[in-house]
Amino acid sequence: MSIALEYGIPTDTAGLQLRLGIARGFFRAEGIELALKIIFGGPEIARAYDSGVLKIGELGTPPATTAISRGARFKLVASSVKRSALQYLVAAPAVTGWNDLRGKTVAALTIGSCSYWFLRQVLQHHGLDPDTDLSIVGLGERYPQVIDLFRSGELAGAVLSEPNVSIGEASGAYRIMLALTDPAFCPDMQWSVVVAGPATLANEPELIGAVLRGCQQSYHYAANHRDEWIAFGADYFGIARETMAKSIAREFGGLHFDGEIDMHGLQQAIDLQVRLGALKQPLRAQDIVDLRFLPAPYASHARPAVR
């Protein structure tokens, strides 16, 4: 008999490889009936992990570390598949330079999310005061409508992830103005992490291990069956296969499939949050992780399921 479990994701476009793994039965083989639960935003989903509403799932390192610095009790147990900072500042066609953003509205996922902190850093670097020169809004539940918000003229810019970047490009709604993988803005850092809540850490270690094995297998399967991944994603998002293939190719080099946390990159992410003023006191990377649940580097041999 399988255990029903909700796994948290912070946007409607996250976790595609996990959806493929669910369809392929990888989590069921671990004794888990996994369902992805969307809670839009960084601080919002962090609260769900700390409170126990969600036992396990992913979010970005900036909101995770900010929450921990303010008393959240969850721990980082693995890296998500997107280990590098795979986000992009996109701009409407009429925006040809940074000054064109003055007086306009730009968007992040939510206030306090990864995209919010990255956006503030980039704007400041280019001489714009994010508090006075323009308006930053958090999209929250409107995140799936971001392309329509550009088409209507409500947004002049946004920090987005794939596949929204490629979908919007293909429609002509916006173009990439800056990739946040640029080391001038986001150092070689650990971006997206898997966290587990305090009760899960204390009482259900086997469950955490089983989830991470299912994630690892899902990621490797997608990477080793690229055509199936493209077709699955194109069907799921209702887009052309060419667009899905471009989306995957753009970020493939920044993906990591075994769940290992880049500890140096995690400290880099913490230090960036300190510089941005999100953390009042620095954290040590080793103090906020619990890596005892990580599976060994991927192998196809069977492991016991959770009961």
Side-chain angles (χ1 to χ4, degrees):
M1 184 176 178
S2 296
I3 297 171
L5 179 68
E6 290 187 324
Y7 179 96
I9 53 174
T11 75
D12 59 317
T13 57
L16 180 65
Q17 301 95 333
L18 302 184
R19 294 188 189 280
L20 177 57
I22 291 168
R24 278 282 165 184
F26 299 146
F27 293 94
R28 188 173 297 113
E30 294 286 350
I32 301 169
E33 290 293 337
L34 195 74
L36 302 189
K37 174 68 174 180
I38 304 166
I39 297 182
F40 286 98
E44 296 81 359
I45 200 167
R47 286 192 290 271
Y49 297 129
D50 187 48
S51 67
V53 170
L54 288 171
K55 292 184 176 184
I56 189 169
E58 57 194 59
L59 78 165
T61 300
T65 54
T66 300
I68 290 171
S69 76
R70 296 174 181 175
R73 299 158 297 162
F74 57 75
K75 294 280 190 178
L76 284 57
V77 297
S79 171
S80 179
V81 69
K82 294 185 178 185
R83 192 157 79 169
S84 299
L86 297 169
Q87 292 197 311
Y88 306 84
L89 195 155
V90 302
V95 175
T96 60
W98 294 98
N99 279 333
D100 291 338
L101 292 175
R102 292 184 184 274
K104 301 295 196 304
T105 299
V106 297
L109 171 58
T110 61
I111 303 302
S113 66
C114 291
S115 52
Y116 172 78
W117 294 111
F118 293 162
L119 179 58
R120 291 186 65 91
Q121 185 191 25
V122 169
L123 292 172
Q124 289 169 349
H125 180 85
H126 288 92
L128 294 170
D129 187 325
D131 296 314
T132 61
D133 289 336
L134 43 71
S135 176
I136 298 178
V137 298
L139 295 177
E141 298 285 342
R142 296 200 301 163
Y143 188 79
Q145 286 80 54
V146 65
I147 293 173
D148 292 335
L149 296 175
F150 271 92
R151 287 174 175 155
S152 71
E154 182 173 339
L155 296 180
V159 173
L160 301 176
S161 302
E162 289 289 2
N164 278 343
V165 176
S166 293
I167 296 171
E169 276 185 324
S171 72
Y174 43 71
R175 61 180 177 80
I176 292 177
M177 196 167 182
L178 182 70
L180 298 186
T181 48
D182 187 324
F185 308 109
C186 294
D188 185 16
M189 61 175 280
Q190 172 72 50
W191 174 35
S192 185
V193 291
V194 181
V195 305
T200 315
L201 290 163
N203 302 322
E204 299 182 278
E206 296 87 359
L207 179 65
I208 298 172
V211 170
L212 295 183
R213 290 194 297 271
C215 291
Q216 185 189 70
Q217 187 173 7
S218 299
Y219 297 148
H220 277 276
Y221 183 86
N224 293 330
H225 300 82
R226 187 86 69 94
D227 288 344
E228 184 176 347
W229 180 7
I230 291 168
F232 184 87
D235 290 344
Y236 181 79
F237 293 117
I239 61 176
R241 293 193 178 193
E242 293 79 7
T243 303
M244 191 68 226
K246 181 179 181 180
S247 168
I248 292 171
R250 174 175 278 145
E251 64 180 10
F252 193 83
L255 303 182
H256 186 77
F257 306 114
D258 277 333
E260 298 164 337
I261 291 179
D262 174 4
M263 292 299 291
H264 173 74
L266 177 56
Q267 191 63 57
Q268 290 269 66
I270 292 169
D271 295 344
L272 175 60
Q273 288 300 91
V274 173
R275 292 196 298 274
L276 291 174
L279 305 184
K280 301 307 179 186
Q281 296 182 352
L283 300 171
R284 297 194 312 166
Q286 61 264 38
D287 293 337
I288 64 173
V289 301
D290 188 341
L291 304 181
R292 59 196 160 114
F293 313 103
L294 269 178
Y298 181 70
S300 60
H301 61 274
R303 296 178 171 91
V306 173
R307 297 300 178 200

